Amino acid sequence: MTNVRLALLSGRLSYRALFSWNTPALFFAVLVFTPVLQIVFFVLLGRSLEYRDDLFFITGNALLGATAASVSGLVGVIAEERRFGTLSTILVSPASRVAVFVGRLLPGVVLAIGTAVFTSCLGFVAVGWPYSPLESLAYLAAITVAAFSGSALGLTLSAFGLIYRDIFQIATAAQFALLLLTGANVALDRLPEWAQGLALGLPLTHAVAGVRELTAAGVTTTFWSALGTDVLVGACWLGVGLVLMNVLERAARRGASLELY
């Protein structure tokens, strides 16, 4: 219970301290306006190319918005801790590293879910609500899974912030990989075989596949299997992230890089 309390407090306090609430216009633009424009762009692109329907791009980019928000949030937290000089204080404390950094996942997951739900609702209002009440709950479950797995990837990437200053370059590259390889905007069977293999290990890929199944056939065993696979992928990334945090923390201590920005 001590570690659970530590995780909850760590997430809440880091969120309050490090997110730019003093510039709400920027906050809104990044987490709401940008995902909406992204959906509009791909819907119009799909129409011009006569590729798929509007719902394909609305759902794919809504889930993509959830992972993008969670990846950016986690990477931003570690980067800002380092910039403000508080990262070394956290790392020398006796608190559990797992509890502290898993706590960083929670605000990103909640924020990502809110972003995806909001953008989905806007898209569904435009094209008509495609799901029954039960299917809508299943769609919300897919969003939640995508937000979790994206946050786990974000934690893994944020570990490199212990030794690498320009961490947002890595985060941007990861977001482009999710954009191109997960099936959110291009069906996986249209990608090269090597890209399809790489996509299977990325967060979001299986959640998107589940939503495609939900749209085509409703709540099926295949849908839940896809979500379960995405949870497993997220758990693997979470484990990798926690190991990297431990390994790269020691490397940062040896290289005296924690205070460099």
Side-chain angles (χ1 to χ4, degrees), residues 208-234:
V208 168
V211 169
R212 304 298 185 221
E213 172 69 14
L214 177 67
T215 303
V219 183
T220 64
T221 303
T222 303
F223 167 78
W224 292 115
S225 176
L227 291 198
T229 303
D230 208 62
V231 170
L232 180 60
V233 170

Side-chain angles (χ1 to χ4, degrees), residues 82-83 87-88 91 159-165 248-261:
R82 183 173 183 172
R83 183 166 73 93
L87 182 58
S88 57
L91 295 178
F160 291 97
L162 297 172
I163 59 173
Y164 185 62
R165 287 183 293 176
L248 296 182
E249 176 190 344
R250 292 199 295 268
R253 291 178 187 276
R254 289 195 300 269
S257 63
L258 290 176
E259 299 294 342
L260 299 177
Y261 185 79

Side-chain angles (χ1 to χ4, degrees), residues 124 128-140 214-215 217-219:
F124 294 162
W129 200 272
Y131 301 127
S132 67
L134 177 60
E135 291 170 346
S136 297
L137 291 176
Y139 179 68
L140 179 60
L214 177 67
T215 303
V219 183

Side-chain angles (χ1 to χ4, degrees), residues 104-219:
R104 288 339 195 231
L105 288 172
L106 302 179
V109 170
V110 173
L111 201 61
I113 292 172
T115 298
V117 168
F118 180 77
T119 53
S120 296
C121 289
L122 288 181
F124 294 162
V125 166
V127 302
W129 200 272
Y131 301 127
S132 67
L134 177 60
E135 291 170 346
S136 297
L137 291 176
Y139 179 68
L140 179 60
I143 288 175
T144 304
V145 168
F148 160 73
S149 59
S151 294
L153 174 62
L155 181 67
T156 301
L157 297 178
S158 69
F160 291 97
L162 297 172
I163 59 173
Y164 185 62
R165 287 183 293 176
D166 296 324
I167 185 63
F168 286 108
Q169 293 179 355
I170 298 176
T172 301
Q175 290 177 17
F176 276 118
L178 295 176
L179 178 72
L180 295 173
L181 301 178
T182 58
N185 290 299
V186 180
L188 290 181
D189 58 10
R190 302 295 296 272
L191 298 175
E193 290 187 4
W194 65 267
Q196 294 181 37
L198 183 61
L200 295 178
L202 291 176
L204 182 65
T205 299
H206 301 284
V208 168
V211 169
R212 304 298 185 221
E213 172 69 14
L214 177 67
T215 303
V219 183

